[in-house]
Amino acid sequence: MSTQSSADSKDSLTPSSSMGGSEGGINLKYLSLIVLTFQNATLILSIRYTRTLPGEMYLATTAVVLAELFKMLACFAVILKEKGSVSGLIEHVHYYTVIQWKDAVKISVPAILYVIQNNLQYIAISNLEAAVFQVTYQLKIMTTAIFSVFLLRKELIKTQWIALCLLFFGVSMVQLSQNDTKSTKTADVEQNPMLGLIAVLLSCCSSGFAGVYFEKLLKGSDISLWMRNIHLAGYGVLVGLFGVYWNDGDTVSEKGFLHGYNGWVWWVVLMQAFGGLLVAVVVKYADNILKGFATSLAIIVSCVFSVFIWGFVITLQFSIGTALVLGAVYMYSLPKPQTKILPA
């Protein structure tokens, strides 16, 4: 998840430059749409599925650590291929980690926030329906916008402010539609929707601040995406291990680090590790409108699967709230109108 957040903070290419009229450009456009939609929908649905299975539950803190570890190993492998030798890899990592240590230390802030965000998402998805989580999590657009205004001095146009208002009202309607059930039970897993709501709100705040902070670090930096993700994942493993010890130390000592793991859990771990990296690669072929469209498709997919897998009931209020959120995502992703300069 964290990789996707870092990828979103980079400026994407404009439609004309990245997806021209060529057949190859169109293919890359639709490929990026498929990848973004698949990642956004599948990961959330998979986590929800693993958190509602009967039997011994795996520890979310360990899953976060393993995802960061696999992500770091994958980035090492990419740089190794680029440099062509182990000595070249070591020299590259040494330069950007030891020689340029100040930049490496700065990356610890978003790295810690991303670990917190990922753990909070497990709590949220464990206590909210997948469709409800997908809709509510779009509040990260609002938190990112607010932090961008205050930290990066970005200006939002009127359409974007209207979109943020619609987003807030839409999410509010979705949450109010779930108020009939204070606590629900799926399979043998007790759920607390209020805890899930608090977790997703905190996750949105963490995601927004981390994304903006990361964007600020990227400006004027020549460090590659892969090296940045090694730093992010390295800090993530260290902070994540501390979280395992602090929150689940006794359980790990008694039952083991991989307690409760099965094929589906490993799928979630691999999706978090490699899915985010794949998104980071293809996201440069997607403009803001396409990314917004992918988000909307992911919400729809999550709603459909929630109905068939968990018997989720789509009410009129939920439908209206979701429609407002989808509209807000589209409005916010529209390109800003270019100011015409009149000749003197």
Side-chain angles (χ1 to χ4, degrees), residues 97-144:
T97 305
V98 179
I99 305 300
Q100 300 286 341
W101 63 271
K102 290 184 179 180
D103 284 338
V105 170
K106 289 177 182 178
I107 208 70
S108 63
V109 175
I112 293 171
L113 290 173
Y114 284 140
V115 171
I116 295 173
Q117 170 193 336
N118 289 341
N119 280 283
L120 286 170
Q121 284 181 350
Y122 272 99
I123 297 174
I125 298 171
S126 300
N127 291 280
L128 294 174
E129 295 286 351
V132 176
F133 172 83
Q134 280 278 33
V135 175
T136 308
Y137 191 55
Q138 300 315 308
L139 281 177
K140 66 182 179 180
I141 297 175
M142 175 176 286
T143 59
T144 302

Side-chain angles (χ1 to χ4, degrees), residues 186-301:
T186 301
D188 295 328
V189 182
E190 190 72 23
Q191 298 177 177
N192 187 338
M194 180 55 66
L195 176 61
L197 174 60
I198 293 173
V200 74
L201 292 178
L202 292 176
S203 180
C204 288
C205 291
S206 176
S207 173
F209 183 80
V212 172
Y213 186 92
F214 193 76
E215 181 179 348
K216 197 170 184 179
L217 290 181
L218 286 176
K219 292 186 176 180
S221 174
D222 61 345
I223 300 179
S224 69
L225 168 71
W226 309 111
M227 195 64 239
R228 278 298 189 196
N229 274 289
I230 286 177
H231 289 157
L232 284 170
Y235 284 117
V237 170
L238 294 176
V239 176
L241 285 174
F242 176 78
V244 172
Y245 171 78
W246 181 267
N247 195 60
D248 300 307
D250 293 338
T251 304
V252 171
S253 299
E254 179 184 351
K255 300 181 179 180
F257 194 85
L258 301 179
H259 171 69
Y261 275 62
N262 55 34
W264 278 105
V265 178
W266 282 111
W267 163 255
V268 167
V269 170
L270 294 177
M271 275 287 293
Q272 278 193 300
F274 303 122
L277 290 175
L278 182 60
V279 168
V281 172
V282 303
V283 74
K284 65 181 180 180
Y285 300 109
D287 60 1
N288 287 332
I289 295 179
L290 189 139
K291 285 188 286 186
F293 188 50
T295 299
S296 301
L297 283 178
I299 292 175
I300 295 172
V301 170

Side-chain angles (χ1 to χ4, degrees), residues 321-339:
T322 301
L324 287 175
V325 171
L326 295 178
V329 171
Y330 174 76
M331 286 180 61
Y332 192 84
S333 63
L334 290 174
K336 293 183 179 180
Q338 295 182 350
T339 304

Side-chain angles (χ1 to χ4, degrees), residues 3-49:
T3 309
Q4 185 178 353
S5 300
S6 63
D8 288 343
S9 66
K10 290 190 172 184
D11 292 330
S12 58
L13 298 177
T14 60
S16 58
S17 61
S18 63
M19 299 174 293
S22 65
E23 183 178 351
I26 294 176
N27 289 338
L28 288 175
K29 173 181 177 179
Y30 289 115
L31 175 63
S32 61
L33 173 63
I34 293 171
V35 171
L36 289 171
T37 304
F38 180 83
Q39 167 69 7
N40 288 341
T42 306
L43 179 59
I44 302 306
L45 290 169
S46 298
I47 294 177
R48 175 65 180 174
Y49 183 73

Side-chain angles (χ1 to χ4, degrees), residues 52 65 68 70 86 88 91 95-96 109 113 119 146 156 159 192 194 201 228 241 274 317-318 333:
T52 56
V65 170
E68 295 297 322
F70 285 135
V86 176
E91 181 181 351
Y95 177 79
Y96 284 109
V109 175
L113 290 173
N119 280 283
I146 293 173
L156 301 181
T159 304
N192 187 338
M194 180 55 66
L201 292 178
R228 278 298 189 196
L241 285 174
F274 303 122
Q317 187 172 345
F318 176 87
S333 63

